[in-house]
Amino acid sequence: MSKEWRYSDDRKRIILEEPPKQKLRISGHRMSTVLGLNKYATPFMAWAEITKTVSVPFVENKYIIAGRVIEPSAIDYVRDRFPNIKSMEEYYGNMIDDYRYNNFKNESNIFGGVFDFVSTKNNGRDIVMIGEVKTTGHPEYFMNNNVPVEYSLQAALYAKLKGLDKVLFVVCFLDDMDYAHPENFVPNENNTKLIVKKLDEMFFEIDGEYLSIDDCMTKAEKFWNDYVITGISPPFDEELD
């Protein structure tokens, strides 16, 4: 760890000697971790990252590369099916450098993130729908129009922050050769699926309760106030963390 810290008396938490002055936001991809819904990471890990107690290295892999390469063609695929589709760069234009790493700095001091694309009114300014592009080698995860919880939470958070009522997922199903050469992937009806979800129909199970995105944001704000602002971590697990 890069900051001065000590154990709590019960040795189940980390206490920073000074509450963090610089903090990362609870972005869409951190929501599921903060709420304990990420099977690959814990709320303690999210706290350590958000408070910059630990610097998490960025590691590129075939999945990240494929997603980045395929995203523009996936957005182009949507243009023929929904009106006024704009990528993040197209929407923000000359202001892109101000919004490249956070599209929601005007909406929240806690939450943040970056959308993939939007659909706007004819004026090109007013957003009517947030869009997210996902690439996967597991089409079974999206059967019956289901969307994995980490993706659902991410998109629902972004839509809520913009005051919208629905989100659009563009899901591209890849095989091994697509991961080997993502530049050759061409979205079509056989390898790409469009899923629209309304926020009032999206619920997330936490400790046996089914919560709306508003409820989830309330829990995330409590996490922020209880742990991030104070510099006192949530309980950690010696094995998992």
Side-chain angles (χ1 to χ4, degrees), residues 185-204:
F185 183 86
V186 179
N188 59 50
E189 292 184 357
N190 295 320
N191 62 23
T192 301
K193 186 174 187 178
L194 304 182
I195 302 174
V196 175
K197 292 284 190 181
K198 294 183 177 180
L199 260 61
D200 61 6
E201 297 174 351
M202 299 174 73
F203 292 92
F204 308 92

Side-chain angles (χ1 to χ4, degrees), residues 87-96 99 103 115 162:
S87 67
M88 179 182 68
E89 290 79 7
E90 290 170 329
Y91 180 74
Y92 286 111
N94 294 333
M95 294 288 290
I96 185 60
Y99 291 91
N103 301 157
F115 57 70
K162 290 295 186 183

Side-chain angles (χ1 to χ4, degrees), residues 61-80:
N61 55 42
K62 66 180 182 180
Y63 306 108
I64 293 173
I65 294 171
R68 183 176 66 245
V69 172
I70 290 171
E71 181 178 303
S73 59
I75 295 174
D76 286 340
Y77 179 76
V78 181
R79 293 185 198 275
D80 296 332

Side-chain angles (χ1 to χ4, degrees), residues 1 14-16 34 42-53 223 227-228 230-234:
M1 288 188 176
I14 294 296
I15 301 175
L16 300 181
V34 163
T42 68
F44 176 82
M45 294 179 188
W47 173 86
E49 182 181 6
I50 291 169
T51 59
K52 298 187 176 182
T53 303
F223 177 96
Y227 304 126
V228 176
T230 64
I232 302 173
S233 79

Side-chain angles (χ1 to χ4, degrees), residues 152-204:
S152 296
L153 269 171
Q154 178 185 32
L157 172 65
Y158 294 168
K160 188 66 182 181
L161 288 173
K162 290 295 186 183
L164 306 175
D165 63 354
K166 57 182 174 294
V167 295
L168 170 63
F169 297 94
V170 184
V171 189
C172 299
F173 304 118
L174 312 186
D175 59 25
D176 287 346
M177 288 307 296
D178 293 324
Y179 283 113
H181 294 284
E183 69 277 6
N184 295 331
F185 183 86
V186 179
N188 59 50
E189 292 184 357
N190 295 320
N191 62 23
T192 301
K193 186 174 187 178
L194 304 182
I195 302 174
V196 175
K197 292 284 190 181
K198 294 183 177 180
L199 260 61
D200 61 6
E201 297 174 351
M202 299 174 73
F203 292 92
F204 308 92

